[in-house]
Amino acid sequence: MSDINLKIDGKNLTVPKGTNIFMAAKNNGIYIPGLCYHPKLTQYGGCRLCMVEVTERGKTRHRFSCAQPVSEGIEVKTKTSEVEKYTKSVMEYLLAHHPLDCPTCDKSGECGLQDVTHDLKLSAGRFKTARLDEPMKRDNPLLEYNTNRCILCGRCVKVCKEIEGVSAIDYQNRGFKTVIGTAFNKPLDCSFCGGCVSVCPTGSWQDRTLKFRARPWELKKTPTICTYCAVGCTVVINSKKNQVMRITSDDDLGINEGNLCVKGKFGHEFINSSRRVETPLIRKIGILCPASWEEALDYVSKKFSEIMDEHGGKAIGGIGSEKCTNEDNYLFQKFCRTVLGTNNIDNISNIKSPSLNRLIQVSIKNRIVATSLEEIEKADTLFFVGADVTEAHPVVGSMARKAIRLNKTKLIVANARNIEFNSVARKDIRLNYNLGTQTILINTLIKIIVDEKLVDLGKVESSTENFKELRSLLKASDTGIRKASKLTNVSEDAIKSTSDLLAKSGKCFIICGKDIEEDPLAEDTIKALLNLCALINAGGSDKVSLVFSRVNNNTQGVNDMGVVPDFLPGYLDINDQSNRKTVEDSWGVKLSDDVSMKDTEDVFDLASSGKIKALYVMGENPIVSYPNGKKVKDAFKKVGFVVVQDNFLTETAQLADVVLPTSTYVEKEGTFTNMGMTVQRLNKVIEQVGNSKPDWQIVCDLAKKMGYSYSYTSPKQIMDEVSKSVPIYEGIENSDLAKEGFRWVSSVYNKSEPVKHRFEISESKLTDIKKSKEYPFVLLTGSSLRHQGTYSRNSSSLVSLASECFVEINRNNAQKVNIADGDMVKIESAQDKIQLKAKTTNRVPEGAVFVSEDYEWVPINNLRVNGYTNIKISKVK
Amino acid sequence: MGKAKKQSLQDETVDLSMAEKILVHYKDVDGCLIPVLQKIQNEYGYLRETIINLVSERLNMSVSEIIGVATFYSQFHLKPRGKHIIKVCCGTACHVKNAKSLSAKIVGRLKINANETTEDRMFTFEEVSCLGACGIAPVVVVDKDVHGTLSPDKLEDVLDRYVKPAA
Ligand code: SF4
Ligand code: SF4
Ligand code: SF4
Ligand code: FES
Ligand code: FES
């Protein structure tokens, strides 16, 4: 973009074309008052505070600087007496009805209105009007709204519409009666992203988790990475006296432009919760009793040694954590593999989708993987396949909306559930396919693109390995668009427009989501998707960025670090002798030959069958998170010795023989890897709560107890080792771990030559969804916006916001069995039953019900078996 | 835009078919909110919540946005209105000529305040600003009929005509 030269207050400046005068000044340290303009929102020009004097081609005029783009050679003055007079009187109007109740306002000290008033040296205004005195609106547990303080700048309205896509609030009424509010003045029912609080320049919107607990200037602000989902937003922790008081954000840090979701923004109360485990616990005569670290670690090391002596190391199973840092996980697997001598380690995400790691590696090697999540903002087409972005990765939703708003990006949402994704996109494409037909849908897209030569097939042929094979198979296939449309229940038009959009020039950003991964035929579907990506990538040259949904903040990292049975750190195949040798050399230890786990058998299977005698669980609650509740409980019953390392006394910890208290993400350092494979650094904010310790430290201490010299003194040293021994983290430099907003994108993407894609062709199978007379429904599970596991469960504000886990039932199905919203419903499978309140909806297809997995106190896994679970529902009288 | 997928259209007792018709007519028309609301109000008398929910779903606009627009313009009504609309002018000229006594009369007789509707849905009483007939202040407009130089007693007579319509 070309640059423009101008002068502001005598200073010569050069700024990019399109900048407005307001930002040109601000970016160059020149202050112009202004309360309604916000760089991430559309310009509005409502507060009238930002007036400046502009001289252009000899003519001098007054302009609102936020509404005026810079132009060549203009001269701007921000501080003439006229400007000052005008601005001051605007402020007088703005303050005329304001209650001036700063002493009781949490915004005081960081308030735009207060600052401008102060800067203009205003004293009591000339207007003697009644101060507004409407009651505070407090209709939800997270936010309160005080209309008296509102200057109607409109920022909250815009953030809610443009960034969050919700438009829960808008201007209501007109003239003096105008307020910001909901329709019919109903209680706020929105996504509670807190965007309105973040952008409000006055004290109108307030974060209730802070209420009267601290003044803004007492708060220490430390940026770090959110611990909930795999987006990896940068959050700013506000702490006082070693307690977390609230979470804010910073528009200039991280990948999220200051946007957060309800969990990231308000879900911090677990950190200083009184339910934290603060001291080690050892089970004595059946009861978990407090113990010293010394005692607990002695005991664990003695028990582990006994089991190793008697049954060999492989009799100990390890479960790593999707919540812990890379450093914690790396050290955990190293400990298991070297000190204990077992390769029977895993993490829940890999147990749920055992083929995913391998498939992601394919996408990396073929260079169709996205190099970072931010690429979404440059996309021309977005394709969400089985990805419920709104619930699972809310801030990715905000990024997508930004792309749609600013670049007119086209959106395609394909899902068996009629999920919600709100944006300003007009005529977006929704492919609401029949459950189990996703592979057919994707293969049909491939067929159309090839048959109609929508991409350059010559290029595809030369840059992939076996395109001919694919082509002849496509020719032979009898599933054309008509048949596919019938099977999938997606209109031919929609299928056709989707293939056109995907093949069309421009960048495609594709998210493969959990709804795909949950299907028993996930592997086939993902392979088909990889084929589709490779086809349009090769035929349209480097246009695809594919991202796989990861559920937790470090689901990617725990797999990268090799807390899986079949891969050493960095996805080095453990069965490959040369890989073993490299790792053995660098660790100076011989690895166990036993690789007894197979795809069909996980740690808990081995435990159930008695092959595993002890379990070491770090930061995971498998009793609830393992997808087959009955099996995991059996396994724990069989196992003789269980060590659980966690922040809380989870269902799993309650079964442990030893519980080791750990520190949360704000009490330690380390790194998380998000689902865009960007590695980001955590900053330590507060001292460890109670006697808790960071997980890596505990692992170190235990290793030392067991006679190994684990001499790591900080996560930095561990990351140094990772950078040397884990190929995909090669080159990550500790010295670059700058405190503010550190992130690192692996160079693995551009270092090696891309491998030619090999089309792995699987036939278009329909998932066999068995339904019996007795159990006529299919149980679907997925993410929820408002909760995610142990942390949100222990954050009281989130719990009061979402205290109930609903079962979503298709409206037509519900009507037939006479179930209405809010009715108590019994959900029963062959395994178990549970009672939940009903929400009737058209989000779930007929014949299916949906229950979120994220309400940890609702053990929906007790009902489940591998694959889709069949259930029946009935109303509880 | 916004929360399009509002789902609580179940408890319908209102006949939505006219609204559906209007919405089909304006399908894919940009900036059609105001004409849609006008037509719907014409059809149903006021903007009821269930219908606004439907409009929200069809126009892909949140209910708050729609109500934001509806509350901005005085032509839209969110509450049921009476068969007869009584507008008492409170403009300067009428104010000077004691329009207040006319309002008081209505409040006393119909037992409703400004911007309310009688229980039998016969009358809605509104206080409005200058109706442009200052020469015959104080002015009351009932439906489309202008009544000038009123006193409380004369107003009583006017109201009688609407309560007991001439046979
Ligand atoms: S919290 Fe978010 S969704 Fe709710 S009103 Fe504020 S900006 Fe809108
Ligand atoms: S509540 Fe705050 S952000 Fe919203 S319009 Fe009022 S002053 Fe602006
Ligand atoms: S989107 Fe994910 S990472 Fe971002 S604030 Fe929400 S939970 Fe945290
Ligand atoms: S900042 Fe320019 S008008 Fe408000
Ligand atoms: S003031 Fe009543 S008509 Fe003008």
Side-chain angles (χ1 to χ4, degrees), chain A residues 22 33-38 43-51 64-67 153 155:
Chain A
F22 187 87
L35 294 175
C36 70
Y37 181 72
H38 194 291
Q43 186 270 337
Y44 164 59
C47 77
R48 317 316 256 171
L49 278 172
C50 64
M51 194 167 80
F64 291 110
S65 61
C66 71
C153 71
R155 282 187 184 184

Side-chain angles (χ1 to χ4, degrees), chain B residues 89-95 129-134 137 139:
Chain B
C89 177
C90 297
T92 317
C94 296
H95 180 77
S129 38
C130 181
L131 286 163
C134 310
V139 177

Side-chain angles (χ1 to χ4, degrees), chain A residues 145 150-156 180 200-202 204-205:
Chain A
Y145 175 66
C150 175
I151 58 162
L152 300 174
C153 71
R155 282 187 184 184
C156 58
I180 301 297
C200 181
T202 74
S204 305
W205 287 104

Side-chain angles (χ1 to χ4, degrees), chain A residues 745-765:
Chain A
V745 178
S746 173
S747 56
V748 68
Y749 306 107
N750 31 35
K751 226 173 37 193
S752 51
E753 265 299 296
V755 172
K756 280 187 173 185
H757 183 75
R758 201 184 149 72
F759 292 100
E760 264 191 76
I761 300 145
S762 46
E763 46 177 315
S764 296
K765 266 186 281 182

Side-chain angles (χ1 to χ4, degrees), chain A residues 161 167-168 173 186 422 811, chain B residues 2 7 30 49 62 64-65 71:
Chain A
K161 174 173 180 163
S167 291
N173 308 322
K186 289 199 172 163
N422 298 317
R811 206 167 276 155
Chain B
Q7 288 154 1
D30 277 326
E49 202 180 324
S62 85
S64 293
E65 276 185 285
T71 53

Side-chain angles (χ1 to χ4, degrees), chain B residues 36-83:
Chain B
V36 165
L37 293 182
Q38 283 169 333
K39 294 234 154 74
I40 285 184
Q41 181 162 295
N42 249 339
E43 206 56 51
Y44 294 87
Y46 71 105
L47 302 176
R48 32 172 101 218
E49 202 180 324
T50 36
I51 298 181
I52 294 301
N53 287 343
L54 180 75
V55 174
S56 151
E57 184 172 317
R58 291 303 153 78
L59 298 189
N60 195 18
M61 251 184 144
S62 85
V63 179
S64 293
E65 276 185 285
I66 297 173
I67 297 302
V69 170
T71 53
F72 183 84
Y73 294 103
S74 55
Q75 57 170 303
F76 294 119
H77 307 285
L78 301 180
K79 285 196 218 129
R81 309 189 80 215
K83 189 163 166 215

